[in-house]
Amino acid sequence: QVQLVQSGAEVRKPGASVKVSCKASGYSFSGSGISWVRQAPGQGLEWMGWISAYNGNIKYGENFQGRVTMTTDTSTSTAYMELRSLRSDDTAMYYCARCPGISGGRADYWGQGTLVTVSS
Amino acid sequence: EIVLTQSPGTLSLSPGEWATLSCRASQTIRNNFVAWYQQKPGQAPRLLIDDASNRATGTPDRFSGSGSGTDFTLTITRLEPEDFAVYYCQQYGTSPALTFGGGTRVEIK
């Protein structure tokens, strides 16, 4: 069965960086893409960006351009999301989600989420 | 950027009643590429509907999606206790870029 397992909760100080991992199993990792979505406490869903595990194409959300880097390691079926220059309003649950196909789209399987807390 | 507006913000209903959730887009969504997700407290979102009206694997048939162009609807007939949750619409007509609506909370009256 398709599973996405994310790394554990992180605490960072303002100005620091965080890197979250998302290990996929149960499907052909290289045949799909991964979107990253975050959710601040009590708020809605915010799309951060998408990366194709097929050819490495990337699309970042406008709100995150210049501050986020998404990568994949096809040898371990793992996707990574690094967010830099953290601020207190980056405190959120961060989700990875599979987008089947090679050009993005709806997210049919989700990771369990990684809570990132930014606090001095 | 396509903006999705969901209404109402909160829907207060009783088990067994119907729920009608609206999602309106600021411009026409290509190929009606709209998905609906359900999120319960402490859980990741779950895909219910894609391509505006196609039920995802495991979605009960009391959930149905409809609409085209800029106006889309999620209907839940005969609300079950486990259906009380927050629902989000999403457009992927501009994929790989995605947009989510602000969500509708369906709460027990």
Side-chain angles (χ1 to χ4, degrees), chain B residues 29-71:
Chain B
I29 297 176
R30 179 178 66 92
N31 293 341
N32 297 322
F33 280 159
V34 168
W36 290 90
Y37 299 85
Q38 176 192 68
Q39 187 178 34
K40 297 180 181 179
Q43 296 185 16
R46 168 196 169 195
L47 177 67
L48 294 176
I49 301 282
D50 62 15
D51 296 348
S53 61
N54 178 62
R55 284 188 205 90
T57 303
T59 300
D61 60 8
R62 63 181 179 272
F63 290 89
S64 63
S66 62
S68 64
T70 61
D71 290 303

Side-chain angles (χ1 to χ4, degrees), chain A residues 8-95:
Chain A
E10 304 273 11
V11 180
R12 293 287 186 272
K13 294 188 184 303
S17 299
V18 69
K19 192 170 186 177
V20 178
S21 68
C22 170
K23 184 169 177 60
S25 61
Y27 71 98
S28 172
F29 183 70
S30 297
S32 297
I34 295 287
S35 271
W36 290 89
V37 176
R38 77 176 185 181
Q39 186 170 38
Q43 302 301 308
L45 303 172
E46 181 179 22
W47 179 75
M48 299 179 68
W50 165 89
I51 181 167
S52 168
Y54 173 71
N55 57 16
N57 283 352
I58 293 174
K59 177 72 173 177
Y60 295 139
E62 289 180 6
N63 290 345
F64 301 94
Q65 287 276 4
R67 219 163 53 96
V68 70
T69 301
M70 295 177 187
T71 57
T72 60
D73 181 344
T74 55
S75 69
T76 60
S77 299
T78 303
Y80 299 90
M81 184 283 298
E82 181 180 34
L83 189 61
R84 301 177 293 278
S85 302
L86 290 168
R87 308 181 292 252
S88 58
D89 62 0
D90 290 318
T91 294
M93 187 70 80
Y94 290 76
Y95 294 102

